Amino acid sequence: MPTRQKDHDAPGPPERWSEITPGLWMGGHFVTPPRRPLEPVVVEREFDLVVSLFTRAGHGPAPGVEHLVREVPDGPLSAGQLLAVGEAAAYTAEAVRQGRRVLVRCHSGCNRSGLVVAQALVELGHQAERAVELVRERRSPWALNNRLFVEYLAAGLSTAALLADLDG
């Protein structure tokens, strides 16, 4: 059963980034304009903090912009990777509470960034199910189509990390 966006016939988001809640944005390193090939997205100084779950040279952010990198795959995550996602989400939520403009991004801005953004929303007081709905409403109906990531959110990242430890 497919768990990643590239395993589906899911179109990538047509926007560079989308505001999920005030101050919290979700995006990717590439954008998929309608009927055109992927285009690179370069972040300059639009945000105070950029959280990257995937990186490529030349995509920013500009020097001086805080950049938190926690590369994780768009597939099953180890306990350590789940804890890194939780750390990134907590840091993101705190930055939003402080009134900073935050971009969370991955390759296309669907799954890995969706996992961190949804968990940040949970940290900000949303229920996990509502956090997933917000990500899909504001970014793309195809966002968080990795059902394993949705299961991690429903279980709670700490619980998912404990279970991953038992499997590994």
Side-chain angles (χ1 to χ4, degrees):
M1 176 130 296
T3 59
R4 302 178 316 162
Q5 178 186 342
K6 63 185 168 184
D7 295 332
H8 297 272
D9 290 326
E15 300 173 306
R16 298 183 306 166
W17 42 70
S18 306
E19 192 170 24
I20 307 304
T21 61
L24 180 56
W25 298 74
M26 184 172 150
H29 279 67
F30 297 92
V31 65
T32 310
R35 296 173 296 285
R36 295 201 326 247
L38 287 177
E39 293 179 2
V41 173
V42 178
V43 178
E44 296 293 335
R45 299 185 181 285
E46 298 90 346
F47 302 95
D48 303 309
L49 168 64
V50 176
V51 178
S52 296
L53 293 307
F54 168 92
T55 59
R56 282 295 176 265
H59 287 254
V65 173
E66 186 177 4
H67 190 200
L68 178 67
V69 177
R70 296 292 183 268
E71 290 200 52
V72 295
D74 187 6
L77 301 180
S78 69
Q81 290 166 332
L82 285 161
L83 293 174
V85 164
E87 173 191 271
Y91 196 79
T92 296
E94 184 55 32
V96 170
R97 279 188 203 99
Q98 294 172 2
R100 299 175 72 199
R101 288 176 48 90
V102 181
L103 171 66
V104 180
R105 66 183 183 164
C106 57
H107 183 276
S108 297
C110 279
N111 281 313
R112 291 169 279 189
S113 58
L115 178 60
V116 170
V117 166
Q119 182 61 37
L121 291 170
V122 168
E123 298 272 341
L124 292 167
H126 294 273
Q127 295 296 316
E129 185 176 320
R130 179 62 185 141
V132 171
E133 289 172 359
L134 276 170
V135 164
R136 289 177 176 158
E137 286 170 13
R138 308 256 167 90
R139 178 64 177 156
S140 165
W142 295 103
L144 279 173
N145 63 41
N146 180 331
R147 68 177 161 67
L148 186 55
F149 285 6
V150 175
E151 290 172 13
Y152 291 153
L153 291 162
L157 294 187
S158 298
T159 300
L162 288 172
L163 294 172
D165 262 350
L166 292 175
D167 289 341

